[in-house]
Amino acid sequence: MSLPSFDVFYLRRSLLGWYAQNGRNLPWRDSADPYEIWISEIMLQQTQVKTVIPYYQRWLETFPTVTDLAQADLQTVLKVWQGLGYYARARNLHACAQQIVEQYNGVFPNQLEAVLSLPGIGRTTAGGILSAAYNLPISILDGNVKRVLARLIALSVPPKKALKSLWEWSDTVLDPDHPREFNQAIMDLGAMVCTPKAPNCSECPWQLYCQAYLSNLQSQIPMGETAAPLPHKIIGVAVIWNEQKQILIDKRPAKGLLGGLWEFPGGKVERGETLEECIKREIQEELAIEIEVQEHLITIDHAYTHFKVTLNVYHCRYLSGEPQPLECDEIRWVTLDEIEQFPFPKANEKIITALKNNS
């Protein structure tokens, strides 16, 4: 697949002219600090700008430099990240900061190969950092850019099936003299004009060359792929109280989904099992203790990338046995006032809110 006959110089010039007039005023764009730009790029992975901004500002207040981040405790890092989702990003940021301090004297590297070797950084993120921080001519291919390019050349297959070609197109249109502004401009074009639904083609600087627009196919491109329905898991969750009015929480294993975060123990309801039976069994298997399942607290529906869950949360009374971390990294008895100190997944935050509202 080859590019249609475009005037690449016109595409660059017109996009940069549009960006100068319409580009978004974002806090990380006022910075030339590679650390601050790197943090923004990681936070923006799979997360909208408006959600990221307050987290970004709070992060830099807590960890103003890469050394501050490297020296921080992982639990502190996860607590500051709490609510932003995709927690592997926070764990990778922490590991990455330590690597930068150890291998690069605390200076974010300016070589693509070195950047790609860092935890949690792929080709698009590397291009975003290196172009913004060092003005290096390295292209990007995030969701916005894929959509803009797919429409520009009227891509006839879903973008996932044409990544090699899309990277080539991104390399081709990139302005080598102004890579920082160009990469930011093409992302803004996708976010502000060439939107997934009802693109505002009349405002697009590339309208003259856009093959999707010229063929009136902008609502059909980029082509989607049929997604399989998400699996749905029914989960029983225990809020276990002892006689001292403390609650038992456990820390998930460091690797995997929600790694390093704390949660209320529980697990998936097996076929033919009641919620009460599920909770008793899970607590015995995970913690080796006996409990009494009491009244229902809250039911929460939550969606992850690859599956959905319904959490059925019950107050439980601790009866006997010494709690053991059989399937987790750590367990603690904490009061409701102390629980705020620990990083929890989003769905578990709703449980904490329900507990406080009922206390």
Side-chain angles (χ1 to χ4, degrees), residues 165-182:
S165 297
L166 286 171
W167 272 113
E168 290 171 359
W169 295 327
S170 188
D171 287 340
T172 299
V173 298
L174 176 67
D175 188 331
D177 298 323
H178 306 282
R180 175 189 289 120
E181 291 77 14
F182 186 90

Side-chain angles (χ1 to χ4, degrees), residues 16 21 25 37-38 60 75 96 99-100 123 145 158 211 236 247 249 253 256 264 278 292 300 314 319 345 347 353-354:
L16 290 175
Q21 296 292 319
N25 182 20
I37 291 165
W38 162 49
L60 292 183
Q75 288 292 288
C96 194
Q99 197 169 323
I100 289 168
R123 188 170 165 187
V145 177
Q211 300 300 297
I247 302 167
I249 59 174
F264 299 94
C278 163
E292 178 190 358
I300 298 165
Y314 284 78
L319 296 177
T353 299

Side-chain angles (χ1 to χ4, degrees), residues 135-187:
N135 205 30
L136 294 176
I138 301 172
S139 65
I140 59 172
L141 194 65
D142 74 345
N144 283 319
V145 177
K146 286 176 189 172
R147 186 168 59 256
V148 169
L149 294 176
R151 285 179 175 150
L152 178 68
I153 51 88
L155 187 66
S156 59
V157 295
K160 278 186 180 179
K161 296 184 176 175
L163 289 179
K164 183 173 182 291
S165 297
L166 286 171
W167 272 113
E168 290 171 359
W169 295 327
S170 188
D171 287 340
T172 299
V173 298
L174 176 67
D175 188 331
D177 298 323
H178 306 282
R180 175 189 289 120
E181 291 77 14
F182 186 90
N183 278 343
Q184 292 169 356
I186 195 170
M187 285 190 289

Side-chain angles (χ1 to χ4, degrees), residues 89-306:
R89 295 182 294 174
R91 298 194 301 272
N92 283 331
L93 276 172
H94 189 239
C96 194
Q98 293 176 333
Q99 197 169 323
I100 289 168
V101 168
E102 290 168 9
Q103 296 182 11
Y104 303 103
N105 297 316
V107 178
F108 198 93
N110 61 5
Q111 299 291 323
L112 180 59
E113 192 173 330
V115 175
L116 289 172
S117 72
L118 296 171
I121 298 183
R123 188 170 165 187
T124 281
T125 301
I129 297 167
L130 291 173
S131 62
Y134 298 115
N135 205 30
L136 294 176
I138 301 172
S139 65
I140 59 172
L141 194 65
D142 74 345
N144 283 319
V145 177
K146 286 176 189 172
R147 186 168 59 256
V148 169
L149 294 176
R151 285 179 175 150
L152 178 68
I153 51 88
L155 187 66
S156 59
V157 295
K160 278 186 180 179
K161 296 184 176 175
L163 289 179
K164 183 173 182 291
S165 297
L166 286 171
W167 272 113
E168 290 171 359
W169 295 327
S170 188
D171 287 340
T172 299
V173 298
L174 176 67
D175 188 331
D177 298 323
H178 306 282
R180 175 189 289 120
E181 291 77 14
F182 186 90
N183 278 343
Q184 292 169 356
I186 195 170
M187 285 190 289
D188 279 9
L189 185 66
M192 300 166 66
V193 174
C194 196
T195 50
K197 294 179 181 176
N200 188 7
C201 298
S202 64
E203 298 295 320
C204 180
W206 285 1
Q207 185 194 79
L208 184 66
Y209 280 94
C210 179
Q211 300 300 297
Y213 171 77
L214 295 173
S215 304
N216 196 29
L217 293 172
Q218 61 269 46
S219 60
Q220 283 87 52
I221 296 175
M223 294 175 62
E225 291 189 272
T226 305
L230 293 178
H232 185 192
K233 302 178 183 180
I234 307 299
I235 309 292
V237 179
V239 177
I240 304 169
W241 297 87
N242 64 13
E243 291 182 356
Q244 291 75 42
K245 292 190 167 25
Q246 294 172 310
I247 302 167
L248 190 62
I249 59 174
D250 65 63
K251 187 164 78 168
R252 293 178 66 92
K255 292 185 179 177
L257 181 70
L258 307 175
L261 297 181
W262 293 79
E263 67 178 2
F264 299 94
K268 191 171 80 165
V269 177
E270 302 292 353
R271 187 185 294 274
E273 205 174 37
T274 67
L275 283 165
E276 181 177 321
E277 290 167 345
C278 163
I279 291 170
K280 282 185 173 181
R281 173 185 54 76
E282 285 286 346
I283 298 312
Q284 177 61 233
E285 290 173 0
E286 292 181 18
L287 303 168
I289 61 172
E290 298 294 331
I291 60 167
E292 178 190 358
V293 179
Q294 299 181 322
E295 70 270 18
H296 173 262
L297 171 64
I298 191 173
T299 296
I300 298 165
D301 291 313
H302 190 73
Y304 296 96
T305 308
H306 300 299

Side-chain angles (χ1 to χ4, degrees), residues 73 135 137 355:
D73 176 77
N135 205 30
L355 286 169

